C-alpha cells in the first residue's frame, strides 16, 4: 500500500507522518458538493482563497487550499500522486500560484489524503505546508448516476449531475476503464438578499455606545467635485439638502459630499457553471500495468459589481462648469468623481480550462516495485469584461456636451444614453496560461532484514518544465485609440491617443517565461526494532534560474505498546519564486482596498510632492503598481512534527500531533495599511500614475515583490475517533480540530514580528483562528444513515476602525477608533441518507440548520478580501441555511 508522504510501499498504512484520509463515504457525509467546499470544511485548512474573492477582485474564480494558513503557494496539490500545473490566472505577486480546486470534480474522487507535514523528498522541496493528494476511482466495473440540488434562501441555487462507469476487471479481463462526467450550475446571490451584507451604512452598539460606519465610494451619481480648495463637495446635495438614492452624506473635515453605497449593488456569491470529464484506463501485462489518465474541466464564473467609477475633468468655463460649479464658487478646473450608472454593472465573465494527461507504467522488475510517469498539465484562464468604457472615450463624450455627470440615473438625454452604450467595451480583457511537463521515475525495494523487519529503500528522479504566459488584450495593454472599434493608437498622432480603462490606469505588459528543473531523491526505512522504525530521506533539486538545493527529512515511528504510537519528524524545504514573481514587468495592479485622505496625513502629502504628483481629493482609493523582482531569493524552511496516537480500547482512537514550520526570506508585499500609516518610513514604496481621463498625475502605491523576512507557525492537530454499537445501530463519532499556538511574520528583514492569531491584523490583513474544528456523528440504522455535524471557529479582534459616535437622537457627536470583538461562530449540519433499494439512495440534508448569520465585522480591507461588507467573506459563508438533496442510482 502507498501512503501520501512516503515512496516506500508497505502493508501497514500507519506512517511516521500525520496523514488525514477522507474516504468516499466521509466526503458524502460532509454535504460538500465540490472539492472547494470539502477542503474548506477541514479544520487544518486556513487562509485559502474562495470563490467570493472574485467580487471586486481579479481572481478568475480561483479557489485554493492552504494548510495551517502557511499559504496556498506552499501547499502542494496532487492528483494520483503527480503534480499539476499552477493556475493560469496567477498574478505577478504570486497570488493564485497554486492549484485551482475547481478543476477537480468531486464525483471522480475515491479518497483524499492530507499530509499536514512538508514532504520534501518524494514530491518536491516546495511542499512546505504539506500535501493534498486526490485519489481517483479505478479498477471498478460499478456504475453510478448522481443528481442533486442545493437551495439556500434567495440565491446561490445549485443543480448538479454526474455519471461514473467502469468497464473490465484487471484480475479477470486484464484491463479496466473508468470514466466520469460531471456538470453543475449555480445562480448568483445578491447582497440585498442578506440583511447582514445589504448596505455599506451600518448602525450598531458597542460597550453601551451607539455608532455609525459608512463604507462607500467617493465616485457617485450625481457626481462629487473638488472645489478650488481641493475639498470634495456634491452639487446635488447642496441643491436638494440630501444625497441621491443609493448614496449617503459623508463629512470628513472640510469635505462634505455623497458616498455611493456600492455594497448594495454587489452579487456577493457569483454565478458559476462547471463541467468536467475524467477517464482512467489500465492494462495488465504480466507484472506490469500500463495506465493513462485524462482529466478535462472548464469553469465559467460571472461576477458583477457596481457600475464603473472614475474621474471626469470639468474645465473652467465649460458649459458644465457654468451650470453647476460657478454658482458654487468653483472657478478653477475641477474633477467630477462620477459613477457611470447608466452603463450598467461591471461584469467579469471568467473562464478557466484545465487538462491533465498522465501516461505511465508501474509494476515489478526483479525485486523492485517501480512507477514511471509522464504528465502534461495546463491551466488557461481568460476574462471577458463589460460595463467598462475607455477613459479618453468618456472624456470625449463629456467634451461633446452629451454626458452630464450631475444628473440622476436615467436622466441622460436619449442621445447621451445611446452614446454611453456606444463606448461600452464588451470583450476579452486579460488572461494567462500555465503549463507543466513532468517525467518521474521511482522505485522501491526491500533490502536485508533488520531486527524489526526488512529494510526499505526508495529512489527516484524527476524532470520538470514549467512555462507561464501572460496574455492581456490590446485594451488592457493601453494600445487602442478606440477600444470598442479596436483601432490601434499612435503615440505620435494626437487624434489616435492611447486609451485606457476608465477608473484605473491599466496598461498591462504581456510576457512569457519558463524554467526547467530536475531532482533526485532517496528514502530509506530502518525497522531497527519491532517497536521502532526510523526513516530518512534526502533530495537534490537543480533549477535553471535558481541554482540548486539539498533538503532532507528524518522521521521515527515508535510503538512502545500495541495501543500507543509515538511519531515525529524534522525536515527542511526550499521554495523558488514563481516565474511571474521574478520576470513580470512593472504594471498597474488595481487599487488599494482602503481609502486614504491626505488632509489627515501630512506625510502622505509630502510623499506625493516628492513624486511630483498630487493627492486624490478627499478619502479615496489609490492606484497600485507592482512587478517582478529578479533579485528575489528563494524561501527556505525548517519543519518538525511530534505526535502520539492512543487506542486504549478498540472502539476509541485519540491522536495529537504538534507541528512547526519556520521560513526565512519569505515572499510578499508590504501591507498597504502599514505603508499608508507610515508614509515616510517606506519612502521607496511610492510612485505616481497619470489618470488618462483627467490628465492629472496622482500618488500611487508601489507594492512590488520583496523578501520580507521570517515567518513562524506552530500548532496542534487533534483527531478523535469513536465507534459504538447501540440498540438502534452503529454510531461512529469523529472530532478533528486545530489549535494555533504561534504565527508571527516580519514585513521587512530584521523587522518587527506581527501575529494574526485571534486578531484581524492591521499590518498583515488576515486572521488565523485560535481554534477551528468539526465534530461529526453518524448513526447507521438499517437502510438509514443519519449524520449530525458541528463546525466551529473561535472569535477574534477586528481591525481598528474609525467610526462616528451617535447620541440618543442619532446625531453624530464625533469620531472614535474602536476594535470590535468578532464573535465565535458555530453551525450545525444534518444529513439523512435512505438506501430504499440496493441500487438507489436518496439523501436530504440541511447545512447551517439554525440559519446563523456570519458575525458582524467592520473590516474593509485585507489579503484577498472581496468588496463584501458587514461580514468577512474570506472566513464565512453568506448562503445561510441550505437545503440539499441527492439521488444516487448504482448499476
Amino acid at each position: 500500500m502507498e501512503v501520501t508522504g512516503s515512496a516506500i510501499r508497505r502493508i501497514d498504512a500507519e506512517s511516521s507522518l500525520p496523514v488525514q484520509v477522507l474516504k468516499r463515504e466521509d466526503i458524502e457525509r460532509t454535504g460538500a458538493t465540490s472539492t472547494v467546499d470539502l477542503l474548506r470544511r477541514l479544520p487544518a485548512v486556513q487562509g485559502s482563497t474562495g470563490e467570493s474573492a472574485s467580487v471586486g477582485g481579479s481572481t478568475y474564480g480561483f479557489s485554493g487550499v492552504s494548510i495551517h494558513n502557511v499559504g496556498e503557494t506552499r501547499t502542494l496539490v496532487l492528483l494520483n500522486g503527480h503534480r499539476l500545473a499552477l493556475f493560469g490566472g496567477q498574478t505577478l505577486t504570486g497570488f493564485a500560484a497554486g492549484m485551482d480546486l475547481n478543476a477537480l470534480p468531486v464525483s471522480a474522487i475515491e479518497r483524499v489524503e492530507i499530509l499536514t507535514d512538508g514532504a520534501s523528498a518524494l514530491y518536491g522541496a516546495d511542499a512546505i505546508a504539506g500535501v493534498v493528494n486526490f485519489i481517483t476511482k479505478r479498477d471498478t466495473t460499478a456504475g453510478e448516476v448522481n443528481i442533486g440540488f442545493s437551495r439556500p434562501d434567495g440565491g446561490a441555487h445549485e443543480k448538479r449531475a454526474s455519471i461514473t462507469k467502469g468497464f473490465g476487471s484487471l484480475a479477470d479481463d486484464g484491463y479496466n476503464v473508468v470514466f466520469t462526467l460531471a456538470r453543475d450550475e449555480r445562480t448568483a446571490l445578491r447582497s440585498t438578499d442578506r440583511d447582514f451584507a445589504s448596505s455599506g451604512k451600518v448602525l450598531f452598539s458597542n460597550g453601551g455606545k451607539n455608532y455609525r460606519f459608512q463604507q462607500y465610494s467617493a465616485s457617485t451619481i450625481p457626481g462629487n467635485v473638488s472645489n478650488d480648495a481641493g475639498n470634495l463637495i456634491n452639487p446635488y446635495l447642496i441643491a436638494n439638502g440630501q444625497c441621491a438614492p443609493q448614496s449617503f452624506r459623508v463629512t470628513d473635515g472640510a469635505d462634505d459630499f455623497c458616498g455611493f453605497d456600492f455594497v448594495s449593488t454587489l452579487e456577493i456569491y457569483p454565478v458559476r457553471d462547471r463541467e468536467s470529464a475524467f477517464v482512467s484506463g489500465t492494462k495488465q501485462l504480466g507484472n506490469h500495468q500500463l495506465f493513462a489518465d485524462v482529466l478535462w474541466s472548464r469553469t465559467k464564473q460571472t461576477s458583477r459589481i457596481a457600475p464603473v467609477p472614475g474621474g471626469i475633468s470639468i474645465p473652467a468655463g465649460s458649459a458644465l462648469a457654468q451650470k453647476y460649479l460657478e454658482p458654487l464658487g468653483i472657478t478653477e478646473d475641477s474633477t467630477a468623481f462620477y459613477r457611470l450608472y447608466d452603463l450598467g454593472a461591471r461584469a467579469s465573465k471568467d473562464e478557466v480550462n484545465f487538462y491533465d494527461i498522465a501516461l505511465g507504467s508501474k509494476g515489478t522488475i526483479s525485486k523492485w516495485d517501480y512507477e514511471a510517469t509522464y504528465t502534461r498539465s495546463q491551466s488557461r484562464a481568460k476574462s471577458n469584461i463589460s460595463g467598462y468604457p475607455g477613459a479618453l472615450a468618456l472624456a470625449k463624450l463629456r467634451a461633446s456636451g452629451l454626458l452630464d455627470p450631475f444628473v440622476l440615473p436615467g436622466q441622460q438625454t436619449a442621445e447621451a444614453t445611446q452614446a454611453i452604450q456606444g463606448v461600452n467595451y464588451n470583450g476579452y480583457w486579460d488572461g494567462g496560461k500555465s503549463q507543466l511537463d513532468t517525467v518521474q521515475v521511482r522505485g522501491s525495494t526491500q533490502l536485508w532484514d533488520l531486527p524489526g523487519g526488512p529494510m526499505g529503500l526508495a529512489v527516484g528522479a524527476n524532470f520538470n518544465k514549467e512555462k507561464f504566459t501572460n496574455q492581456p488584450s490590446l485594451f488592457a495593454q493601453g494600445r487602442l485609440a478606440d477600444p470598442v472599434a479596436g483601432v490601434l493608437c499612435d503615440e505620435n498622432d494626437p487624434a489616435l491617443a492611447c486609451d485606457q480603462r476608465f477608473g484605473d490606469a491599466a496598461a498591462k505588459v504581456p510576457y512569457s517565461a519558463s524554467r526547467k528543473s530536475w531532482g533526485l531523491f532517496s528514502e530509506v526505512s530502518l525497522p531497527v526494532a519491532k517497536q521502532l522504525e526510523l526513516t530518512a530521506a534526502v533530495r537534490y533539486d537543480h533549477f535553471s534560474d535558481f541554482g540548486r538545493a539539498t533538503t532532507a527529512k528524518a522521521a521515527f515511528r515508535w510503538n512502545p505498546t500495541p495501543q500507543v504510537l509515538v511519531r515525529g519528524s524534522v525536515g527542511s524545504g526550499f521554495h523558488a519564486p514563481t516565474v511571474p514573481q521574478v520576470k513580470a514587468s512593472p504594471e498597474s495592479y488595481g487599487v488599494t482596498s482602503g481609502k486614504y485622505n491626505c488632509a489627515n496625513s501630512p506625510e502622505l502629502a509630502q510623499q506625493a510632492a516628492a513624486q511630483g504628483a498630487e493627492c486624490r481629493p478627499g478619502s479615496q482609493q489609490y492606484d497600485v503598481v507592482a512587478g517582478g523582482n529578479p533579485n528575489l531569493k528563494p524561501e527556505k524552511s525548517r519543519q518538525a512534527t511530534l505526535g502520539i496516537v492512543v487506542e486504549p480500547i478498540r472502539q476509541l482512537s485519540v491522536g495529537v500531533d504538534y507541528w512547526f514550520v519556520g521560513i526565512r526570506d519569505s515572499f510578499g508585499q508590504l501591507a498597504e495599511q502599514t505603508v499608508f500609516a507610515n508614509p515616510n518610513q517606506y519612502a521607496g514604496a511610492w510612485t505616481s500614475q497619470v489618470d488618462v481621463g483627467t490628465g492629472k498625475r496622482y500618488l500611487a502605491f508601489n507594492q512590488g515583490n520583496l523578501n520580507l523576512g521570517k515567518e513562524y507557525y506552530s500548532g496542534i492537530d487533534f483527531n478523535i475517533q469513536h465507534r459504538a454499537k447501540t440498540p438502534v445501530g452503529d454510531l461512529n463519532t469523529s472530532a478533528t480540530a486545530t489549535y494555533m499556538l504561534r504565527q508571527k511574520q516580519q514585513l521587512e528583514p530584521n523587522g518587527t514580528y506581527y501575529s494574526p492569531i485571534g486578531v484581524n491584523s492591521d499590518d498583515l490583513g488576515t486572521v488565523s483562528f485560535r481554534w477551528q474544528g468539526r465534530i461529526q456523528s453518524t448513526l447507521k440504522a438499517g437502510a438509514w444513515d443519519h449524520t449530525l455535524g458541528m463546525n466551529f471557529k473561535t472569535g477574534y479582534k477586528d481591525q481598528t476602525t474609525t467610526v462616528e459616535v451617535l447620541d440618543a437622537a442619532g446625531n453624530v457627536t464625533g469620531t472614535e477608533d474602536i476594535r470590535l470583538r468578532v464573535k465565535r461562530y458555530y453551525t450545525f449540519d444534518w444529513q439523512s441518507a435512505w438506501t430504499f433499494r440496493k441500487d438507489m439512495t436518496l439523501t436530504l440534508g440541511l447545512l447551517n440548520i439554525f440559519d446563523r448569520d456570519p458575525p458582524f465585522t467592520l473590516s474593509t480591507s485585507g489579503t484577498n478580501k472581496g468588496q463584501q461588507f458587514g461580514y468577512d467573506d474570506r472566513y464565512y459563508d453568506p448562503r445561510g441555511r441550505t437545503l440539499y438533496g441527492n439521488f444516487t442510482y448504482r448499476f
Side-chain angles (χ1 to χ4, degrees):
M1 180 176 182
E2 286 183 83
V3 176
T4 299
S6 175
I8 298 173
R9 294 178 182 267
R10 64 189 75 208
I11 297 175
D12 188 352
E14 192 63 69
S15 73
S16 57
L17 301 178
V19 179
Q20 300 176 18
V21 179
L22 292 175
K23 298 179 181 179
R24 184 69 205 174
E25 56 267 30
D26 299 322
I27 296 172
E28 293 172 349
R29 287 168 182 160
T30 65
T33 58
S34 68
T35 53
V36 176
D37 287 342
L38 174 66
L39 293 189
R40 285 178 70 90
R41 295 171 186 269
L42 301 182
V45 173
Q46 287 203 52
S48 303
T49 302
E51 296 169 275
S52 62
S54 65
V55 180
S58 299
T59 71
Y60 300 92
F62 172 79
S63 295
V65 56
S66 169
I67 295 177
H68 294 146
N69 211 8
V70 178
E72 292 166 328
T73 62
R74 302 165 181 154
T75 301
L76 183 59
V77 176
L78 305 173
L79 180 64
N80 294 323
H82 70 263
R83 283 176 172 262
L84 301 164
L86 299 182
F87 186 52
Q90 64 183 281
T91 70
L92 52 82
T93 64
F95 167 71
M99 174 60 199
D100 181 24
L101 297 178
N102 287 297
L104 303 175
V106 71
S107 54
I109 304 303
E110 180 64 26
R111 70 181 188 274
V112 185
E113 298 176 350
I114 302 98
L115 172 64
T116 55
D117 178 45
S120 62
L122 177 57
Y123 304 114
D126 56 343
I128 291 174
V131 178
V132 179
N133 192 6
F134 291 91
I135 311 297
T136 58
K137 300 175 182 178
R138 58 182 64 240
D139 196 14
T140 178
T141 59
E144 186 174 283
V145 174
N146 283 282
I147 301 173
F149 73 92
S150 296
R151 194 170 182 86
D153 181 47
H157 298 163
E158 292 186 24
K159 52 186 178 181
R160 52 191 172 270
S162 68
I163 180 171
T164 300
K165 182 67 176 83
F167 302 92
S169 166
L170 284 175
D172 298 332
D173 306 311
Y175 77 94
N176 178 253
V177 176
V178 180
F179 76 88
T180 298
L181 302 175
R183 176 172 173 79
D184 63 82
E185 301 175 359
R186 184 183 65 211
T187 64
L189 177 66
R190 297 183 59 85
S191 62
T192 50
D193 291 329
R194 296 292 181 264
D195 291 340
F196 57 81
S198 60
S199 176
K201 182 176 182 177
V202 294
L203 304 175
F204 64 98
S205 300
N206 185 59
K209 293 183 179 181
N210 296 323
Y211 298 100
R212 182 178 75 181
F213 182 79
Q214 298 183 144
Q215 169 71 334
Y216 62 88
S217 167
S219 294
T220 188
I221 180 169
N224 297 309
V225 294
S226 56
N227 60 22
D228 291 351
N231 301 118
L232 279 184
I233 62 172
N234 187 276
Y236 182 90
L237 170 62
I238 294 172
N240 295 277
Q242 62 182 8
C243 291
Q246 287 192 287
S247 60
F248 36 74
R249 188 170 184 174
V250 178
T251 55
D252 185 4
D255 298 320
D256 189 358
F257 59 97
C258 295
F260 185 77
D261 187 5
F262 65 87
V263 175
S264 66
T265 70
L266 300 176
E267 292 182 356
I268 56 177
Y269 230 70
V271 175
R272 187 200 64 218
D273 290 343
R274 285 187 300 216
E275 49 195 357
S276 61
F278 180 77
V279 179
S280 174
T282 308
K283 175 65 177 175
Q284 188 77 41
L285 295 174
N287 292 330
H288 309 275
Q289 289 182 2
L290 302 180
F291 62 88
D293 295 342
V294 179
L295 168 65
W296 171 86
S297 68
R298 178 169 60 197
T299 303
K300 295 181 179 180
Q301 180 172 290
T302 301
S303 303
R304 297 183 180 92
I305 57 176
V308 64
I312 299 176
S313 61
I314 310 293
S318 65
L320 288 173
Q322 292 175 13
K323 182 177 180 180
Y324 295 103
L325 306 189
E326 290 180 7
L328 302 179
I330 301 175
T331 59
E332 300 177 358
D333 292 346
S334 185
T335 300
F337 295 96
Y338 176 61
R339 191 166 295 269
L340 198 58
Y341 201 91
D342 295 282
L343 198 60
R346 285 170 287 171
S348 295
K349 298 180 180 179
D350 303 319
E351 180 177 323
V352 180
N353 286 273
F354 178 85
Y355 75 78
D356 177 73
I357 300 173
L359 306 174
S361 172
K362 61 183 178 181
T364 303
I365 298 178
S366 185
K367 296 182 178 181
W368 286 82
D369 293 320
Y370 80 94
E371 182 171 338
T373 310
Y374 164 74
T375 61
R376 164 165 280 194
S377 186
Q378 179 179 288
S379 172
R380 185 164 193 164
K382 61 180 181 179
S383 179
N384 283 26
I385 62 171
S386 62
Y388 290 91
L392 292 180
L394 206 61
K396 292 175 183 177
L397 191 57
R398 191 277 308 160
S400 71
L402 288 175
L403 179 65
D404 187 341
F406 301 111
V407 297
L408 291 165
Q411 291 187 354
Q412 301 286 346
T413 66
E415 187 179 4
T417 300
Q418 183 178 358
I420 289 171
Q421 293 302 320
V423 298
N424 183 12
Y425 180 82
N426 190 343
Y428 177 70
W429 171 250
D430 199 4
K433 182 174 71 174
S434 175
Q435 184 170 296
L436 174 67
D437 289 274
T438 298
V439 176
Q440 178 169 280
V441 179
R442 67 187 188 196
S444 66
T445 189
Q446 293 181 348
L447 301 178
W448 51 84
D449 288 335
L450 295 178
M455 173 182 172
L457 172 67
V459 294
N462 68 274
F463 173 80
N464 299 328
K465 181 180 179 181
E466 54 183 310
K467 182 178 181 180
F468 181 79
T469 305
N470 177 239
Q471 302 168 322
S473 65
L474 292 174
F475 186 22
Q477 295 177 50
R479 295 177 55 193
L480 295 179
D482 186 338
V484 175
V487 177
L488 289 172
C489 64
D490 185 345
E491 295 180 353
N492 299 316
D493 186 351
L496 295 174
C498 298
D499 204 354
Q500 293 181 12
R501 196 166 69 173
F502 177 65
D504 61 338
K508 296 179 176 290
V509 180
Y511 62 91
S512 179
S514 63
R515 75 155 55 109
K516 297 178 181 178
S517 63
W518 57 270
L520 303 172
F521 70 87
S522 179
E523 179 182 6
V524 60
S525 65
L526 303 168
V528 295
K530 289 291 185 182
Q531 297 81 22
L532 178 63
E533 180 183 72
L534 305 179
T535 304
V538 63
R539 181 178 184 91
Y540 174 84
D541 286 292
H542 185 276
F543 296 83
S544 60
D545 54 354
F546 270 92
R548 54 198 175 191
T550 300
T551 52
K553 179 177 286 291
F556 75 92
R557 176 182 178 274
W558 177 43
N559 287 97
T561 71
Q563 293 78 30
V564 178
L565 165 67
V566 181
R567 61 189 175 194
S569 68
V570 293
S572 58
F574 177 92
H575 182 208
T578 65
V579 172
Q581 280 179 297
V582 179
K583 299 181 179 180
S585 301
E587 62 181 45
S588 295
Y589 195 70
V591 296
T592 59
S593 56
K595 297 183 291 292
Y596 303 94
N597 193 332
C598 275
N600 302 328
S601 175
E603 289 188 4
L604 199 58
Q606 182 180 340
Q607 290 301 326
Q611 295 292 331
E614 58 184 278
C615 291
R616 291 185 174 273
S619 295
Q620 296 200 53
Q621 294 169 304
Y622 279 72
D623 289 324
V624 178
V625 176
N629 182 357
N631 297 318
L632 276 184
K633 294 182 290 185
E635 296 179 331
K636 295 183 179 180
S637 68
R638 295 287 186 270
Q639 296 100 242
T641 64
L642 180 62
I644 184 171
V645 180
V646 180
E647 294 184 357
I649 56 176
R650 287 189 59 187
Q651 295 80 16
L652 178 64
S653 173
V654 179
V656 181
D657 287 282
Y658 166 82
W659 52 269
F660 164 84
V661 179
I663 303 170
R664 69 176 188 269
D665 296 324
S666 63
F667 310 140
Q669 299 79 40
L670 292 173
E672 73 171 68
Q673 297 92 337
T674 301
V675 175
F676 276 86
N678 305 278
N680 289 344
Q681 182 178 339
Y682 300 95
W686 302 106
T687 184
S688 63
Q689 287 277 74
V690 174
D691 188 314
V692 175
T694 64
K696 292 189 176 182
R697 180 175 293 277
Y698 290 117
L699 181 69
F701 176 33
N702 184 10
Q703 199 177 31
N705 297 316
L706 298 170
N707 289 110
L708 297 182
K710 297 178 181 179
E711 300 180 9
Y712 294 98
Y713 305 80
S714 64
I716 302 174
D717 290 337
F718 298 87
N719 190 330
I720 302 173
Q721 306 285 333
H722 182 261
R723 300 169 299 281
K725 289 188 177 295
T726 73
V728 294
D730 295 337
L731 180 65
N732 296 329
T733 300
S734 65
T736 53
T738 293
Y739 179 79
M740 294 290 290
L741 288 169
R742 180 172 66 160
Q743 179 181 345
K744 63 179 186 178
Q745 302 168 236
Q746 291 177 320
L747 294 179
E748 56 185 336
N750 303 314
T752 302
Y753 283 96
Y754 300 92
S755 175
I757 295 181
V759 58
N760 192 349
S761 169
D762 294 332
D763 299 283
L764 299 177
T766 187
V767 174
S768 279
F769 293 91
R770 179 70 76 177
W771 276 102
Q772 183 169 275
R774 177 176 172 84
I775 303 172
Q776 178 176 295
S777 291
T778 298
L779 177 65
K780 296 177 63 67
W784 289 89
D785 274 20
H786 304 291
T787 301
L788 176 66
M790 177 187 177
N791 314 284
F792 61 90
K793 301 174 186 286
T794 49
Y796 61 90
K797 290 183 180 179
D798 203 3
Q799 289 179 329
T800 302
T801 307
T802 302
V803 298
E804 296 171 312
V805 183
L806 304 180
D807 61 18
N811 300 311
V812 177
T813 61
T815 62
E816 184 178 320
D817 289 341
I818 66 170
R819 191 161 209 168
L820 291 180
R821 180 71 187 177
V822 179
K823 296 180 180 179
R824 64 182 181 274
Y825 188 66
Y826 54 90
T827 60
F828 290 90
D829 305 327
W830 175 265
Q831 181 189 102
S832 289
W834 178 32
T835 304
F836 57 95
R837 277 181 28 173
K838 184 178 180 180
D839 57 353
M840 295 185 187
T841 300
L842 179 65
T843 302
L844 289 175
L846 278 176
L847 302 176
N848 193 354
I849 297 172
F850 302 108
D851 200 22
R852 293 204 66 205
D853 292 341
F856 175 62
T857 171
L858 290 173
S859 63
T860 61
S861 62
T863 304
N864 302 335
K865 189 181 186 309
Q867 289 190 4
Q868 297 89 328
F869 176 70
Y871 73 105
D872 201 316
D873 64 285
R874 298 171 296 177
Y875 312 119
Y876 306 102
D877 191 330
R879 289 175 288 185
R881 180 168 50 223
T882 300
L883 171 68
Y884 68 91
N886 296 302
F887 172 74
T888 302
Y889 171 63
R890 292 172 290 276
F891 60 96

